[in-house]
Amino acid sequence: DASRDYNEALSIRTEIGEKGTIAESQLALATLALERGQPAETETRIREARQEFRKEKQIDDEMLADTVLARALVAQHKYSEAQKEIEAGKGFVAKSQNRANQFQLSIAAAQLHAAQNRIEEAKRNLMAILAEAKQTGLLEYQFEARLELGEIEMKSGKTASGRAHLGALQQDATSKGFLLIARKAAKERV
């Protein structure tokens, strides 16, 4: 449904020629492609959208594009390219008041660290994100950080602990309506 709605929005925005909002729709579609496990499609769409964000000087959207692109590159095991995108995104942190984008960038950096077997660094970063997300009341990023922590535990051989944390996350996310995160937690528990 989301894909259909974003494609419809993209079509309408293309008809009326709103380049900035076209790029926003492309970013949303790229994020969906990444969630569906299609990181190569994500990479192409994001690069196109990011160009438009740069032209329009939409720094928050450009930062988010860097973040989603970094996640796509991590999924493709292109770690040095992912690191460049994270560094590019970090360049916007001081200019941006969008805390949600900053959390997403930090989570992407932790995903990269975990993929590179820099487990302790990834865990430290995720614990800091979790603490700050709790303090600011941003539940989505608390759940995202917990999901990454659970995935790290599972991959590092702490399966009993990982399953327990992911099970608790699944229940918490379901009860608060974060069904995508709940499904991811359930999938990782297997």
Side-chain angles (χ1 to χ4, degrees), residues 6-108:
Y6 284 129
N7 275 310
E8 186 178 314
L10 178 60
S11 177
I12 292 168
R13 290 170 168 177
T14 301
E15 276 181 40
I16 57 178
E18 292 183 353
K19 292 182 179 182
T21 58
I22 289 169
E24 289 171 5
S25 291
Q26 287 177 320
L27 177 60
L29 285 165
T31 303
L32 285 175
L34 184 60
E35 292 296 341
R36 277 192 243 114
Q38 301 165 325
E41 181 183 327
T42 299
E43 187 177 349
T44 303
R45 281 187 184 270
I46 286 295
R47 290 186 192 281
E48 292 171 6
R50 184 173 61 183
Q51 279 304 109
E52 188 57 37
F53 296 144
R54 282 185 181 152
K55 285 182 197 171
E56 307 232 351
K57 299 188 183 334
Q58 293 176 272
I59 61 169
D60 287 329
D61 289 329
E62 188 175 345
M63 180 180 170
L64 184 56
D66 289 338
T67 300
V68 176
L69 181 54
R71 289 180 52 217
L73 292 166
V74 168
Q76 297 175 80
H77 307 285
K78 297 178 180 178
Y79 303 137
S80 63
E81 289 179 56
Q83 184 64 49
K84 288 177 189 171
E85 297 305 328
I86 289 168
E87 293 304 319
K90 286 179 181 177
F92 295 114
V93 170
K95 301 174 193 172
S96 173
Q97 296 297 315
N98 188 324
R99 196 64 195 119
N101 283 359
Q102 294 171 10
F103 278 128
Q104 289 183 59
L105 181 65
S106 296
I107 291 168

Side-chain angles (χ1 to χ4, degrees), residues 91-142:
F92 295 114
V93 170
K95 301 174 193 172
S96 173
Q97 296 297 315
N98 188 324
R99 196 64 195 119
N101 283 359
Q102 294 171 10
F103 278 128
Q104 289 183 59
L105 181 65
S106 296
I107 291 168
Q111 289 171 330
L112 174 61
H113 295 149
Q116 295 173 315
N117 286 322
R118 294 162 49 193
I119 302 300
E120 291 308 313
E121 187 175 356
K123 286 165 89 172
R124 273 193 310 276
N125 291 348
L126 289 165
M127 293 303 291
I129 293 164
L130 182 58
E132 189 174 347
K134 282 181 180 178
Q135 189 175 42
T136 58
L138 292 171
L139 195 56
E140 177 180 358
Y141 302 105
Q142 291 175 46

